Amino acid sequence: MLDGTASGSHGTQLLETEFGGHFVSFQGARTRYFDAYFAKAVAAGVRQVVILAAGLDSRAYRLPWPGGTVVYELDQPKVLEFKRDVLAEHGDSPRADRREVAVDLRDDWPLALVDSGFDPSIPTAWIAEGLLIYLPAIAQEQLFAGIDALSSSGSWVAVEEGRPMPDQVFAAKQKEERDAGQSGTFFTLIYNEQIAPAEEWFGAHGWHATATPLSGYLADVGRPIPPDDPDAGPMAAANSLVSAVKGAGSS
């Protein structure tokens, strides 16, 4: 899977640095975490999946989904079309009933999802991977509220989140990026905001949530980041992988 934050010549140079090596470790570990999350959800009987801002996520094609699983992918129409066409050219087919929902998440995505056949009366497994940093706090809350409103008891959700930087540090990172002629590569694209830690937000809305600190998870999978690394260390310390299950008896 490709990642827009590491594209073009600047992305190639980035991946060749020490930070780039940590970035690759992070991507691999994050993928492993969310793959395991989906395995647990389907083992619990979930057969409806929603991938928010699906991008080039290929899980509908590569994970061993049980029969009858429906995977809804939400993103811009050209993104979904590009992925579908490229994978078809390589002879790959979805391993579930994959349904594209061409919608901008700034629009009424819950309505578009339901209009595409989504059934809010049955448990769903949701994922928002690499998404929250591209949303201001108010949009994060709207996203969480939309997920909650469409989720029956027994639904699952998983997100990746980051604690905001001090304002002065974030402003300095943006300036550094602009001064280097690299506007639009990362810090000038994201928001340094958080409506609330996902564990707290979902916990307050009837979900049993667990946050896994990224630094600890990387160590657990054999890809530790030195805490004194000036760039990767703070990033890992600020990020968490969160999963939650809605309703009584959640675990």
Side-chain angles (χ1 to χ4, degrees):
M1 188 174 72
L2 302 177
D3 190 293
T5 63
S7 61
S9 59
H10 174 60
T12 301
Q13 294 168 9
L14 173 65
L15 294 178
E16 292 173 349
T17 65
E18 184 176 7
F19 178 83
H22 294 316
F23 184 79
V24 170
S25 293
F26 159 63
Q27 293 282 14
R30 183 177 75 174
T31 298
R32 178 172 175 172
Y33 175 90
F34 288 120
D35 284 358
Y37 155 79
F38 278 124
K40 293 175 185 176
V42 298
V46 175
R47 296 294 182 269
Q48 183 168 250
V49 172
V50 178
I51 304 176
L52 297 160
L56 301 183
D57 188 304
S58 61
R59 289 185 174 92
Y61 292 80
R62 64 177 181 78
L63 293 186
W65 301 104
T69 301
V70 181
V71 178
Y72 294 92
E73 296 189 4
L74 280 65
D75 213 318
Q76 302 279 359
K78 289 185 178 180
V79 175
L80 295 171
E81 180 184 5
F82 172 79
K83 177 169 62 177
R84 178 188 352 111
D85 290 349
V86 169
L87 289 172
E89 288 172 6
H90 285 78
D92 295 314
S93 300
R95 303 177 72 178
D97 179 0
R98 175 178 176 267
R99 301 185 188 180
E100 297 181 359
V101 184
V103 64
D104 190 316
L105 291 179
R106 293 170 294 186
D107 297 330
D108 192 350
W109 64 265
L111 177 61
L113 181 60
V114 172
D115 285 347
S116 297
F118 176 86
D119 184 354
S121 71
I122 64 175
T124 303
W126 303 82
I127 182 174
E129 180 180 12
L131 171 60
L132 297 184
I133 59 173
Y134 296 99
L135 301 176
I138 185 63
Q140 294 173 22
E141 183 166 40
Q142 291 169 348
L143 183 78
F144 289 173
I147 291 171
D148 185 48
L150 291 175
S151 294
S152 65
S153 180
S155 290
W156 294 56
V157 65
V159 304
E160 170 201 354
E161 65 178 1
R163 186 173 62 250
M165 302 177 183
D167 289 340
Q168 304 93 318
V169 174
F170 183 68
K173 292 286 188 182
Q174 289 187 312
K175 183 178 185 302
E176 180 182 337
E177 195 168 272
R178 293 190 188 99
D179 290 348
Q182 296 166 355
S183 291
T185 55
F186 186 64
F187 290 105
T188 48
L189 282 178
I190 67 173
Y191 289 88
N192 190 44
E193 301 179 17
Q194 184 181 42
I195 184 60
E199 182 180 23
E200 294 180 11
W201 195 97
F202 283 100
H205 289 78
W207 299 68
H208 178 83
T210 303
T212 300
L214 177 61
S215 55
Y217 187 73
L218 285 166
D220 289 344
V221 298
R223 295 297 182 94
I225 292 178
D228 58 352
D229 185 294
D231 293 316
M235 178 199 73
N239 282 20
S240 295
L241 305 170
V242 183
S243 61
V245 185
K246 187 175 186 177
S250 300
S251 59

